[in-house]
């Protein structure tokens, strides 16, 4: 019986700063022990999500402070765009955080 390398089922997402599941089979296609290993790895990754959200929130607060003092329209638009992108990342992280222990194969990116 082949031993599953669980780490190969997770791919690092640069945008979110965490590894995301990339399952090659339907959930039922994995043995019970493989599913347990996948869930364990996901819980480790999932535990880092609140820290990632916090870092993105700090960046948003910094950019909002910059925006408050910005007089240049183009720079204001750029800052607003950056804030919206960071908020989108936070939203995506919240979605991934809420995924139940039976890891879904659909992608949220």
């Amino acid at each position: 019986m082949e031993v599953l390398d669980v780490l190969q089922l997770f791919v690092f997402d640069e945008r979110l700063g965490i590894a995301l599941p990339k399952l090659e089979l339907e959930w039922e296609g994995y043995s019970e022990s493989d599913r347990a290993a996948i869930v364990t790895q996901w819980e480790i990754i999932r535990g880092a999500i609140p820290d990632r959200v916090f870092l993105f929130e700090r960046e948003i607060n910094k950019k909002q402070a910059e925006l408050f003092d910005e007089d240049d329209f183009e720079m204001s638009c750029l800052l607003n765009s950056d804030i919206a992108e960071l908020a989108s990342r936070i939203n995506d992280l919240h979605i991934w955080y809420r995924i139940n222990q039976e890891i879904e194969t659909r992608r949220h990116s």
Side-chain angles (χ1 to χ4, degrees), residues 38-105:
I38 292 166
V39 168
T40 298
Q41 182 62 32
W42 174 245
E43 286 302 314
I44 292 167
I45 294 166
R46 186 176 175 265
I49 290 177
D51 291 336
R52 296 297 304 156
V53 168
F54 178 74
L55 290 174
F56 289 144
E57 287 173 342
R58 283 184 38 188
E59 287 184 51
I60 286 173
N61 291 338
K62 180 181 169 218
K63 290 187 180 291
Q64 285 175 327
E66 291 175 33
L67 182 60
F68 181 76
D69 293 329
E70 186 57 60
D71 293 328
D72 181 76
F73 178 73
E74 287 184 29
M75 188 57 163
S76 294
C77 290
L78 181 60
L79 287 168
N80 268 321
S81 177
D82 290 348
I83 291 167
E85 171 56 27
L86 290 165
S88 174
R89 291 178 187 187
I90 290 172
N91 185 58
D92 289 350
L93 286 169
H94 282 286
I95 291 168
W96 281 107
Y97 189 79
R98 288 189 305 267
I99 286 185
N100 62 21
Q101 289 190 333
E102 291 186 347
I103 301 172
E104 298 175 13
T105 57

